[in-house]
Amino acid sequence: MKIKDVILTKSYTGFYFDDQKAIKAGAGHDGFMYMGEPVTEGFASIRQAGEAISIQLVLEDGTIGYGDCAAVQYSGAGGRDPLFLADDFIPFLEKEIVPHLIGEDVKKFRPLAEKYDRMTVNGKRLHTAIRYGITQALLNATANAKRITMAEVIRDEYDVEKGKYEPIPVFTQSGDDRYDNADKMIIKEADVLPHALINHVGTKLGENGEILLKYIGWLRDRIIKYRKDENYSPVFHLDVYGTIGLAFNYDLEKMFAYLLECEKQAAPFRIRIEGPIDTGDREGTMQYEKKLTAMLDNAGSKLEIVADEWCNTLEDIKYFADNKAGHVLQIKTPDLGGVNNVAEAILYCNSKGVGSYCGGTCNETNISAQTTTNIAIACRAVQCLAKPGMGVDEGYMIVKNEMNRVIAAANKRCCAKK
């Protein structure tokens, strides 16, 4: 089944682009706005509307494959590609990419995805957001042409061990509203929570980490008080954006001791700390997280380090996994470019005994969230991010409902073949 037309439209994401460097430097709030001037190249303000480009691949029989080119909230930070604005990139796509797509046969996803993920124009690779959106559309087109789910396409083409399709734990993120949004998560019995957006030492972590410790204690007590089922025992997952390294001046022993305090405060719940350190480069961040991971393991701690910053590409993920720099690696889906890399990253982490977190960003769309949820199910990720947005309900609904639909349909087909 060949592509006969490509339709591009400007779209909006479920959140915003934020200048992480300006925020870390102490930009203040005025309501939902950030005050001050942006620091990262391309930003017109510290917070600006998230944008995407929607791609529709129209096949010969009128079937359509959908994909959205989207980039992370903190674009241009941590070694990532620059800000992605629709008006800048639609003309580029129309001129350089659409002519190549017309006439492509979507009978197989993987070879086409690899072709466009590796494509160069004037000697440069395509922006990660473009590679992300094109490969989503190709995966959806192949699935729709074959009348199966995207999860089944991935499992078939990547030789994933066959078996029943199972639910993946869903991780919800709160953003700045870490109290009311945590209540929503408790009501809906989210598997993993709450994110909490601890992105500033003075106001969110505490100079000695005391603010975060207090919050962990509050969250623990809140769950115990309001859970309807005493067996409800979510995993705590807090993203600290490198602030633990900053607060303790990159002293490994002090950071290690603080993490043990976090674990003690969370008990009886399991806890994960994402991005404890960001040295501003890949090697430094990897080495610190490798050492912290080993220290925690040697101490018999159950706290898990989650690597995020500087663990962006498939190559980065393999490097962190090979060095056991983190118990869990966030596969930040837009940063990998083609979604074919998402499948490979999950499978690689699984093969190395490292947790595969099929993540992403609040700044995605419903289409990209549904696509990566299919991949997480197919490849058996450790957890899957509820996205887009920071409001909890919308992202949780999109991912959880897609998961339930796909599993029911795929398992019904699987059983019918036997």
Side-chain angles (χ1 to χ4, degrees):
M1 186 70 68
K2 293 183 178 180
I3 299 169
K4 71 173 184 180
D5 196 11
V6 180
I7 302 170
L8 305 174
T9 51
K10 180 177 180 178
S11 295
Y12 295 90
T13 64
F15 203 65
Y16 302 82
F17 289 123
D18 287 342
D19 183 348
Q20 189 186 63
K21 288 183 181 178
I23 294 167
K24 280 190 172 182
H29 278 284
D30 178 9
F32 193 65
M33 309 293 188
Y34 279 106
M35 298 183 294
E37 295 299 317
V39 177
T40 302
E41 184 179 354
F43 279 80
S45 57
I46 295 175
R47 170 165 282 171
Q48 58 191 74
E51 299 182 13
I53 298 174
S54 289
I55 299 177
Q56 298 181 62
L57 302 180
V58 184
L59 305 184
E60 294 169 298
D61 67 350
T63 300
I64 296 175
Y66 297 95
D68 282 346
C69 303
V72 297
Q73 174 190 10
Y74 295 123
S75 290
R80 299 185 177 99
D81 273 2
L83 196 64
F84 184 78
L85 301 177
D87 289 340
D88 293 341
F89 283 98
I90 286 178
F92 172 83
L93 283 165
E94 289 174 337
K95 179 184 177 183
E96 304 289 352
I97 308 302
V98 169
H100 292 281
L101 286 168
I102 300 294
E104 294 279 26
D105 194 326
V106 300
K107 62 183 177 182
K108 285 281 187 180
F109 160 71
R110 187 172 182 175
L112 272 184
E114 290 175 353
K115 173 182 175 179
Y116 284 90
D117 184 55
R118 295 168 183 168
M119 180 178 281
T120 60
V121 174
N122 298 323
K124 294 178 64 177
R125 288 193 79 180
L126 305 178
H127 193 292
T128 49
I130 292 175
R131 290 150 51 200
Y132 193 45
I134 289 173
T135 54
Q136 289 170 44
L138 290 170
L139 176 56
N140 191 236
T142 300
N144 290 344
K146 291 187 171 184
R147 306 294 190 264
I148 58 176
T149 67
M150 291 181 280
E152 290 165 281
V153 172
I154 293 294
R155 195 167 279 191
D156 288 344
E157 295 196 25
Y158 285 83
D159 298 321
V160 181
E161 183 182 352
K162 299 298 186 283
K164 190 177 179 183
Y165 292 82
E166 301 282 357
I168 303 298
V170 175
F171 170 37
T172 47
Q173 55 182 1
S174 69
D176 277 316
D177 194 359
R178 61 190 59 82
Y179 293 96
D180 285 352
N181 274 346
D183 281 351
K184 296 178 185 178
M185 298 168 188
I186 295 166
I187 291 171
K188 294 194 172 183
E189 296 190 339
D191 305 299
V192 188
L193 75 180
H195 172 262
L197 195 67
I198 309 300
N199 62 357
H200 189 266
V201 173
T203 58
K204 295 181 180 178
L205 183 84
E207 297 300 332
N208 295 298
E210 68 281 358
I211 297 174
L212 178 56
L213 284 174
K214 184 178 180 181
Y215 176 74
I216 293 171
W218 174 86
L219 182 64
R220 174 202 65 215
D221 293 343
R222 196 77 172 171
I223 293 169
I224 291 171
K225 180 178 180 180
Y226 284 104
R227 61 185 174 183
K228 301 300 182 184
D229 182 349
E230 64 179 17
N231 293 316
Y232 173 54
S233 185
V235 175
F236 289 12
H237 184 140
L238 298 117
D239 195 344
V240 300
Y241 297 92
T243 54
I244 291 176
L246 292 172
F248 296 99
N249 199 28
Y250 299 95
D251 185 310
L252 273 169
E253 291 296 337
K254 289 180 179 178
M255 289 187 285
F256 169 64
Y258 178 69
L259 290 172
L260 293 181
E261 285 298 311
C262 290
E263 181 178 26
K264 187 184 300 182
Q265 189 76 335
F269 302 105
R270 290 172 54 204
I271 184 168
R272 293 176 181 144
I273 299 291
E274 181 173 346
I277 303 156
D278 180 358
T279 64
D281 67 293
R282 185 178 83 160
E283 186 62 23
T285 302
M286 188 282 291
Q287 289 292 347
Y288 267 105
E289 292 183 339
K290 176 181 178 179
K291 290 171 184 175
L292 264 184
T293 300
M295 291 168 76
L296 290 162
D297 289 346
N298 291 337
S301 170
K302 300 300 181 185
L303 182 143
E304 293 179 314
I305 297 291
V306 182
D308 177 12
E309 305 298 338
W310 301 100
C311 186
N312 300 326
T313 65
L314 177 59
E315 178 194 2
D316 294 336
I317 288 165
K318 289 181 176 180
Y319 186 55
F320 274 66
D322 289 343
N323 283 280
K324 297 198 181 301
H327 301 92
V328 177
L329 305 187
Q330 177 175 185
I331 297 158
K332 210 171 188 78
T333 53
D335 287 336
L336 271 73
V339 295
N340 49 299
N341 296 321
V342 175
E344 289 197 36
I346 296 171
L347 294 171
Y348 191 83
C349 287
N350 292 350
S351 73
K352 292 289 181 175
V354 176
S356 51
Y357 159 28
C358 187
T361 175
C362 53
N363 194 46
E364 294 192 52
T365 71
N366 59 310
I367 295 293
S368 65
Q370 289 169 319
T371 305
T372 54
T373 298
N374 273 260
I375 297 171
I377 296 165
C379 298
R380 300 185 177 96
V382 165
Q383 69 182 37
C384 180
L385 179 64
K387 59 185 182 181
M390 288 287 196
V392 179
D393 300 308
E394 300 84 356
Y396 186 80
M397 171 192 68
I398 289 168
V399 168
K400 195 72 175 178
N401 290 354
E402 179 71 3
M403 191 175 292
N404 289 344
R405 284 190 296 263
V406 168
I407 290 170
N411 282 337
K412 190 167 187 177
R413 256 188 299 274
C414 181
C415 293
K417 291 177 184 177
K418 292 180 179 179

